[in-house]
Amino acid sequence: MVIYLDNNATTRVDPDVLDAMLPYLSDLYGNPSSMHSFGGQVGAAIQDARVRVAELLGAEDTEIIFTSCGSEGNNTAIHAALAAQPEKRHIVTTAVEHPAILNVCKHLEKKGYTVTYLSVDRRGQLDLMEVEAAMTGGTALVTTMYANNETGVIFPIEQIGAIAKECGATFHVDAVQAVGKLPIDLKNSTIDLLTLSGHKLHAPKGVGALYVRRGFRFRPFLLGGHQERGRRAGTHNVPGIIALGKAAAVAREHLAAVERERQLRDQLETQLLELIPDCEVNGGGTPRLPNTTNIGFKYIEGEAILFMLNQHSICASSGSACTSGSLDPSHVLTAMGLPYTILHGSIRFSLSRFTTAEDIQQVVNVMPGIVEKLRAISPFNNDEADWLQGRDLVHSA
């Protein structure tokens, strides 16, 4: 049996969500844009899904645009914000964003925009004074994640938004990891634009949503037909949208129960830190998502840990699923200034409402032996190794 602790990469489709979407893959196949009633009933179901997503976010249904994924939502939000204030050419973001933000910003730098990448401290947290200092009269956009996908660290979103508002900048939040795990009330928020993705809250892959505050001067990113009130062209992914609506409703019901995930996460952290020497929680000591822990095991490679966990049918991660093909150390942990000994031996465990106490206990049972075996064959076993210091110098440069 697979023990799945990689829920920040993707989640299992909830059985109730699957049941809700299946009719739209078979009998209810009408085009929601059609004038006839066969298609009209599908259009009504999409509207119901829109209402459910809005309720999860504390928003109005007219403020929700359905997208294909978080990356599309982020691209759309950034381009809409810049189009709303074309005379401004400055963007503020953070050094620990998802590639769906960082790579867009790097692309925009080539187009003449100036981008400020805010640093984080050893805990992975932002300094609000640095946020204030980064703002200028030419700042068009502040774009930050709600919570980090690798460490679970939660940013002070409303304080950041207040700073953005004082300078007349649009505030976009990548909330892909936060929606369904934290209560969100956009009616009483400084957020202008917010991105979410269905497969991070037990809906299938290939569907997401973008919140656009009412009154915001929105320019569409995808041009074509009239779908989404002219704000996002393309035939609706009906089964995905229905699934996202159901997932949003289920997530809203389970928000009060996320404390159980926190307890299991804390149990995992406490026991591993007690049983295994020379390890630490990355991002500890600051608010984090209740389901996420990132633990650094000194003197060994994370990829080797994952390989041995896989032999026990345990799924975890050493970073973002969108950068898993890279041999470079995590840009998030690098930005936090972690030493090489921790940087390369860090593992993320991310839980869900389907995680059991038995799952956690099995990880606790096998991890000490895995770490002991890998350290026994490790080429370095202390922080003073000469070659390791050389790697640290290269890394810090």
Side-chain angles (χ1 to χ4, degrees), residues 314-330:
I314 298 171
C315 303
S317 173
S318 59
S320 168
C322 294
T323 58
S324 60
S326 172
L327 294 177
D328 294 331
S330 157

Side-chain angles (χ1 to χ4, degrees), residues 181-195:
K181 300 170 188 171
L182 300 173
I184 295 175
D185 181 13
L186 293 175
K187 284 189 176 69
N188 299 293
S189 174
T190 56
I191 297 172
D192 296 306
L193 303 162
L194 179 141
T195 306

Side-chain angles (χ1 to χ4, degrees), residues 54-77:
E55 288 174 342
L56 177 62
L57 300 178
E60 298 177 13
D61 62 281
T62 55
E63 297 174 311
I64 304 301
I65 300 173
F66 288 119
T67 65
S68 65
C69 60
S71 293
E72 181 195 332
N74 286 337
N75 274 264
T76 301

Side-chain angles (χ1 to χ4, degrees), residues 199-372:
H199 76 107
K200 300 301 173 73
L201 62 149
H202 303 287
K205 301 165 187 67
V207 66
L210 173 65
Y211 160 83
V212 179
R213 179 179 294 283
R214 185 173 62 175
F216 179 79
R217 292 185 295 166
F218 181 80
R219 303 285 182 86
F221 184 56
L222 287 180
L223 302 175
H226 63 276
Q227 293 88 354
E228 296 300 287
R229 300 173 64 201
R231 298 179 296 179
R232 195 272 188 184
T235 302
H236 289 97
N237 171 12
V238 176
I241 290 171
I242 301 304
L244 178 56
K246 180 63 176 179
V250 175
R252 193 176 179 216
E253 294 172 0
H254 281 84
L255 270 175
V258 294
E259 186 59 31
R260 173 186 165 279
E261 292 174 41
R262 187 190 305 276
Q263 291 172 357
L264 289 175
R265 189 273 311 269
D266 291 350
Q267 175 187 334
L268 176 63
E269 287 181 349
T270 299
Q271 293 189 267
L272 289 182
L273 266 61
E274 287 178 352
L275 294 171
I276 303 173
D278 292 322
C279 64
E280 62 184 67
V281 175
N282 300 323
T286 196
R288 290 178 293 153
L289 294 172
N291 79 314
T292 306
T293 182
N294 189 304
I295 302 178
F297 301 92
K298 281 189 174 184
Y299 318 125
I300 53 180
E301 293 288 334
E303 288 75 12
I305 299 173
L306 293 178
F307 177 79
M308 297 187 73
L309 283 173
N310 188 60
Q311 293 179 327
H312 293 275
S313 298
I314 298 171
C315 303
S317 173
S318 59
S320 168
C322 294
T323 58
S324 60
S326 172
L327 294 177
D328 294 331
S330 157
H331 74 282
V332 173
L333 303 185
T334 300
M336 291 167 63
L338 299 184
Y340 185 85
T341 46
I342 288 287
L343 193 63
H344 277 270
S346 292
I347 300 297
R348 179 188 70 187
F349 299 99
S350 47
L351 291 62
S352 80
R353 60 174 175 266
F354 295 107
T355 304
T356 67
E358 290 75 19
D359 293 338
I360 298 302
Q361 189 57 52
Q362 178 63 2
V363 176
V364 171
N365 290 343
V366 304
M367 274 300 295
I370 289 174
V371 173
E372 182 179 12

Side-chain angles (χ1 to χ4, degrees), residues 67-149:
T67 65
S68 65
C69 60
S71 293
E72 181 195 332
N74 286 337
N75 274 264
T76 301
I78 290 173
H79 284 88
L82 299 181
Q85 300 188 80
E87 72 283 1
K88 295 184 176 183
R89 307 283 289 180
H90 178 232
I91 301 166
V92 175
T93 188
T94 83
V96 296
E97 295 299 308
H98 188 274
I101 295 292
L102 290 178
N103 287 337
V104 177
C105 288
K106 291 174 183 176
H107 172 74
L108 288 168
E109 284 184 292
K110 296 177 182 178
K111 299 292 185 180
Y113 284 86
T114 301
V115 181
T116 299
Y117 298 92
L118 301 170
S119 65
V120 294
D121 62 20
R122 184 65 166 72
R123 304 169 303 157
Q125 191 55 264
L126 292 171
D127 181 348
L128 290 174
M129 292 183 66
E130 184 180 351
V131 179
E132 289 183 1
M135 303 298 295
T136 73
T139 304
L141 170 68
V142 177
T143 175
T144 71
M145 50 181 33
Y146 204 119
N148 189 265
N149 51 304

